[in-house]
Amino acid sequence: MKRIPSWLTYTVLRLVVFVVPLIVLLVIGIVWWAAVIAAALIGLCLSYILLSKPRNAVSSDLYAARHRDKPAPSPDDEEDAAIDTAQSEAAGSETARSENPQPGAVRSDASRSDASRSDASRSDANRGGTASGQKA
């Protein structure tokens, strides 16, 4: 026979602890909205006092579900991760080489003109002018 989940047991008990006082208060003749508020407060207090074991069981089940051990990675997953790492390292080293050329390496004409434009812009900005040398 299957075991009833602890969350279901706790939920049913919480409803019972709310509904029983509600029915009693309504039979006594209290206005329905006041009876609902009073039953909620009574149910809260009673469930805190009487339902600690079911509450702890639900808490333990939630913790266990949240912290399940992850399945062991398969050899294919490990191989894929190693390939991805190697590819990202190779791409990173290519980028680093293009950004920081070796000492004595010759720059291409495009990179020289970009560098001279950025140097000119920087010096004009320091003087307070625009890139074309005119004041704004």
Side-chain angles (χ1 to χ4, degrees):
M1 185 169 154
K2 270 191 163 179
R3 184 177 153 259
I4 298 173
S6 60
W7 64 269
L8 185 61
T9 304
Y10 182 66
T11 303
V12 169
L13 291 174
R14 284 287 307 259
L15 285 172
V16 168
V17 168
F18 169 74
V19 170
V20 170
L22 178 64
I23 291 172
V24 169
L25 292 172
L26 288 174
V27 168
I28 292 174
I30 297 179
V31 180
W32 70 269
W33 57 269
V36 169
I37 293 172
L41 291 173
I42 292 168
L44 178 73
C45 294
L46 289 176
S47 68
Y48 184 74
I49 294 168
L50 301 175
L51 301 179
S52 64
K53 285 183 183 179
R55 184 175 54 247
N56 289 338
V58 171
S59 173
S60 298
D61 289 349
L62 286 174
Y63 182 84
R66 180 73 175 123
H67 293 91
R68 282 190 185 131
D69 290 334
K70 294 180 181 175
S74 68
D76 292 337
D77 293 339
E78 292 174 359
E79 181 181 352
D80 292 344
I83 291 171
D84 291 342
T85 304
Q87 287 175 346
S88 65
E89 287 175 359
S93 65
E94 288 295 322
T95 306
R97 273 192 228 128
S98 66
E99 291 176 357
N100 300 322
Q102 297 294 327
V106 178
R107 283 189 185 177
S108 68
D109 290 339
S111 65
R112 272 192 234 134
S113 63
D114 289 341
S116 63
R117 272 190 240 128
S118 65
D119 291 339
S121 299
R122 217 176 289 121
S123 63
D124 286 341
N126 289 339
R127 284 183 268 157
T130 61
S132 64
Q134 298 174 351
K135 299 242 178 187

